Amino acid sequence: MKRVFSVLCAVALIFSLAACSGEDAPNDTKADYSGQTLTGNVTQIDGSKVTVLLGTLNEMQRDESGQPPEIPNGQHTADGQAQPEMPDKDLPNQTGGVSAEEPSIPIGQEGQTPPEMPDDQPGKQISDERKDIFMAGEESAAFDLTGAAIKVESGAESKDGSLEDIAIDSILVIEVRDDNTVSTVTVKFMGMGGNPAGFGIGSGEVIQGTSANTLDSDDNISDTSYSSTGDDENALRIDGAIVNLEEITVEKSGGESSNTEGGDFYGVNAALLAINAANVTIKNAVINSNAKNGNGVFSYGSGTTVNISDSTITTKNDNSGGIQTTGGGTTNANNLTVDTSGNSAAAIRSDRGGGSVNVDGGIYTSNGYNSPAVYSTADIMVKNATLTANNSEALVIEGKNSITLKNCTVSGNMSDTKGTSSDENVHTVLIYQSMSGDADAGTSSFSMTGGELICNNGDVFHFTNTAATIALSDIKFTNHEEDGYFMSITGNDANHGWGTAGKNGAQVTFTAARQPMEGDIIVDTISTLKITCSDGTVFAGTVNIVNNAHNGAAVSDNAVVTIEKGCTWNLTGNCTVTSLENNGTINFNGYTITLADGSVLS
């Protein structure tokens, strides 16, 4: 989460080196890259000599006319027609927004995902998960980095680096002088599947610190206490074993974490950490943490499973989630009471590498800023639970991940000023792509059936720099923010690194069934919305297309509205939409709907 609202900034560092074409080209055989800026994926390292496969970071691609190309979901670029008139209503938060992406395309970028290449092509060296970040070409180049000044970029920060910070699969941005010597190089990603550079971790190395108590053989344990006050130390670690724990107490009452990302990604300093395909069952436990990066219960790695029920988890410090899942781990939670107090400390939390999280019953409460009740870079399902974020948005999905809720009560109260991205938008549900490398690019998915969703501040839903599918049914909505939108679907100013301003809209497919809804919906000219009201849905509100705040190239089909038989749309103001299919009832109430072709319905 620490990087959820991070910025990807270009950092220049000056050094001299020679460029050579061909993976195995000798250093004295120079290709002429004079005056160019090159992007390359590292394929070979020999001392100070580095060979890269040239390509591009996945920015929006344009045709000869300067327009974005057709995108995979059938949406097309604007054909030059005038946009519908903007509504009279003031439109707050339009100087910012959240980044968005097409299906299978990185958020904020409209270039299509490169096609699958034959095994004998250079691009095949790039792992599938990296194709959404780096688009490989067929040309290689070798560079001698002797004497080079190297810097490493991580979000909004950078640091002086060295050759040790460059690994196979790193992505480098290289600027070449007019005399064909390199003037600047930025290590944008340090390797290991496209992850951004992580200070102190280096090339994606898994760092998990030590443990005060380790269980590495199968066992059944009850009525036992485990504690830790050490730095980078778990109070209890289960390593590769099948262990049943009942009525245990785990206390992580002190100790510092030397590396935030090590704690967030791999479980450094967590109270309880399960690793190496461990299978852990925990019942009637009390787990407390008062250490920074002191996540309560942490499941890390493919094959690792934590089953925890009827237990209490309390964390007090920053970056300390309640239940945390990363690296492909699994967490199954039943009837927990989870309470977190620190900033960036979601009650149900996932991070880099994701996994599977299943929650049934319980109360999950976060009290810090930037601390949703649920933060998803995984597939998370929650049933029959109460999810409360007292100083944050309630739910966040990043990238190609999901949250599914059934019969839950959800409440969010994001700060106008103390949220990391409050300058962009204030909301209860955020669906976006941060470009941090923590979540694969792709289509986000949110589904909610039954229960209640309570917005105490800002918009109910905000989408930016990602594609998303949304399905809602039988929910009670309560919005205490009079000026908040029901949905805002916009680009953002990229100050937080969420794509490129003017190119980072969202593409949302939204279906509501048996759903009463009230509020206004806006979609900017670089974003799209396909909304369908079905199965007796009643919608009271407006839908309007608004100009992108950063003058991005407009796309067509911004707002496509379908009202199915038996459904009702009660207008509360004038609307502008691309097209309308109405098989139900529209009560205009004296207002109008203006279509993209200029038609006015009333």
Side-chain angles (χ1 to χ4, degrees):
M1 293 230 342
K2 58 287 126 205
R3 293 156 327 290
V4 166
F5 307 106
S6 67
V7 183
L8 279 170
C9 303
V11 180
L13 29 154
I14 300 178
F15 67 101
S16 295
L17 44 87
C20 307
S21 66
E23 282 191 39
D24 300 317
N27 190 49
D28 59 355
T29 305
K30 293 185 179 181
D32 187 3
Y33 297 115
S34 298
Q36 298 183 41
T37 297
L38 307 173
T39 302
N41 179 260
V42 177
T43 59
Q44 183 176 337
I45 300 174
D46 182 8
S48 63
K49 296 178 182 179
V50 175
T51 301
V52 299
L53 177 64
L54 298 178
T56 59
L57 288 177
N58 202 1
E59 295 290 341
M60 174 185 281
Q61 305 298 308
R62 305 249 177 208
D63 60 24
E64 293 180 356
S65 67
Q67 294 298 318
E70 183 177 10
I71 53 182
N73 62 359
Q75 302 159 5
H76 298 266
T77 56
D79 57 8
Q81 66 186 17
Q83 294 297 322
E85 183 178 352
M86 291 176 61
D88 295 334
K89 177 178 177 178
D90 291 337
L91 303 175
N93 300 325
Q94 291 308 294
T95 59
V98 189
S99 53
E101 74 184 26
E102 313 293 342
S104 301
I105 305 177
I107 302 309
Q109 302 156 5
E110 297 182 11
Q112 297 186 19
T113 302
E116 187 71 17
M117 291 183 251
D119 292 342
D120 60 352
Q121 294 299 313
K124 192 64 178 179
Q125 299 174 45
I126 307 303
S127 62
D128 289 342
E129 59 192 303
R130 290 186 64 96
K131 290 178 183 176
D132 287 328
I133 295 174
F134 178 76
M135 298 179 69
E138 298 185 4
E139 180 180 2
S140 291
F143 301 95
D144 187 347
L145 306 187
T146 301
I150 298 174
K151 286 190 178 286
V152 179
E153 182 179 283
S154 179
E157 304 176 55
S158 67
K159 72 166 185 175
D160 292 332
S162 68
L163 288 171
E164 294 180 356
D165 293 309
I166 299 175
I168 299 298
D169 219 24
S170 293
I171 292 179
L172 310 180
V173 175
I174 304 168
E175 296 181 19
V176 184
R177 296 188 185 95
D178 289 339
D179 64 358
N180 203 32
T181 61
V182 175
S183 63
T184 53
V185 164
T186 303
V187 184
K188 300 285 286 187
F189 297 87
M190 293 183 69
M192 301 301 292
N195 295 339
F199 296 162
I201 293 181
S203 303
E205 179 184 358
V206 176
I207 296 176
Q208 291 171 321
T210 62
S211 179
N213 304 277
T214 298
L215 303 175
D216 55 11
S217 59
D218 297 355
D219 209 343
N220 297 305
I221 298 172
S222 62
D223 195 22
T224 303
S225 295
Y226 303 93
S227 64
S228 167
T229 59
D231 297 343
D232 294 331
E233 182 181 70
N234 306 129
L236 175 61
R237 180 179 297 182
I238 299 92
D239 187 350
I242 300 173
V243 176
N244 297 307
L245 302 169
E246 189 163 0
E247 295 185 349
I248 65 166
T249 299
V250 181
E251 293 281 347
K252 176 63 180 172
S253 57
E256 297 293 325
S257 172
S258 62
N259 186 284
T260 299
E261 293 190 344
D264 291 340
F265 299 164
Y266 309 122
V268 172
N269 225 39
L272 187 153
L273 172 64
I275 60 173
N276 292 329
N279 191 306
V280 187
T281 299
I282 306 167
K283 298 179 180 179
N284 300 308
V286 175
I287 300 169
N288 298 316
S289 170
N290 193 24
K292 190 172 182 179
N293 256 161
N295 291 284
V297 173
F298 201 118
S299 177
Y300 173 78
S302 179
T304 298
T305 300
V306 173
N307 303 299
I308 179 169
S309 62
D310 302 309
S311 298
T312 299
I313 301 171
T314 304
T315 70
K316 297 292 187 181
N317 221 313
D318 294 347
N319 296 89
S320 298
I323 53 175
Q324 171 82 319
T325 307
T326 72
T330 297
T331 301
N332 299 312
N334 184 268
N335 194 34
L336 304 185
T337 299
V338 174
D339 191 279
T340 70
S341 296
N343 298 329
S344 298
I348 300 170
R349 189 181 188 211
S350 63
D351 213 306
R352 185 164 295 175
S356 178
V357 181
N358 301 286
V359 177
D360 191 350
I363 300 172
Y364 304 81
T365 306
S366 67
N367 296 291
Y369 298 106
N370 310 310
S371 300
V374 181
Y375 190 93
S376 176
T377 59
D379 293 321
I380 298 179
M381 174 177 280
V382 185
K383 300 186 295 183
N384 309 312
T386 300
L387 308 169
T388 304
N390 286 318
N391 284 293
S392 173
E393 61 266 88
L395 308 171
V396 176
I397 303 173
E398 183 176 350
K400 190 179 179 181
N401 295 291
S402 67
I403 294 177
T404 301
L405 304 180
K406 295 183 179 180
N407 300 317
C408 292
T409 298
V410 181
S411 178
N413 188 29
M414 184 174 176
S415 169
D416 288 323
T417 58
K418 294 184 179 180
T420 302
S421 65
S422 294
D423 58 327
E424 290 284 359
N425 186 271
V426 178
H427 42 261
T428 292
V429 180
L430 171 63
I431 300 179
Y432 82 127
Q433 171 59 279
S434 75
M435 307 302 294
S436 69
D438 295 338
D440 288 343
T443 301
S444 307
S445 177
F446 177 72
S447 173
M448 185 172 181
T449 303
E452 182 175 9
L453 181 57
I454 303 166
C455 174
N456 289 296
N457 197 25
D459 301 340
V460 180
F461 293 94
H462 182 58
F463 304 85
T464 189
N465 199 39
T466 192
T469 59
I470 312 299
L472 308 177
S473 59
D474 302 309
I475 306 162
K476 177 183 178 182
F477 283 103
T478 302
N479 191 352
H480 295 296
E481 176 59 75
E482 291 184 0
D483 294 328
Y485 291 103
F486 181 69
M487 286 194 291
S488 58
I489 305 164
T490 67
N492 64 86
D493 65 11
N495 281 339
H496 298 281
W498 305 341
T500 302
K503 303 177 183 180
N504 51 13
Q507 300 77 44
V508 178
T509 300
F510 174 84
T511 303
R514 303 178 304 280
Q515 185 59 64
M517 324 185 273
E518 183 174 348
D520 296 333
I521 297 172
I522 59 168
V523 53
D524 75 1
T525 48
I526 66 170
S527 302
T528 59
L529 168 67
K530 294 182 179 179
I531 179 172
T532 300
C533 295
S534 66
D535 297 324
T537 289
V538 177
F539 170 42
T542 63
V543 178
N544 278 293
I545 302 169
V546 301
N547 288 331
N548 173 251
H550 307 286
N551 301 312
V555 300
S556 61
D557 295 333
N558 294 106
V560 176
V561 180
T562 300
I563 309 297
E564 293 188 350
K565 183 178 180 180
C567 298
T568 302
W569 183 8
N570 295 315
L571 269 61
T572 60
N574 294 330
C575 299
T576 55
V577 304
T578 305
S579 61
L580 170 68
E581 180 180 344
N582 177 32
N583 295 308
T585 301
I586 298 179
N587 296 317
F588 286 88
N589 299 320
Y591 300 109
T592 62
I593 300 174
T594 301
L595 305 180
D597 63 6
S599 302
V600 179
L601 309 178
S602 60

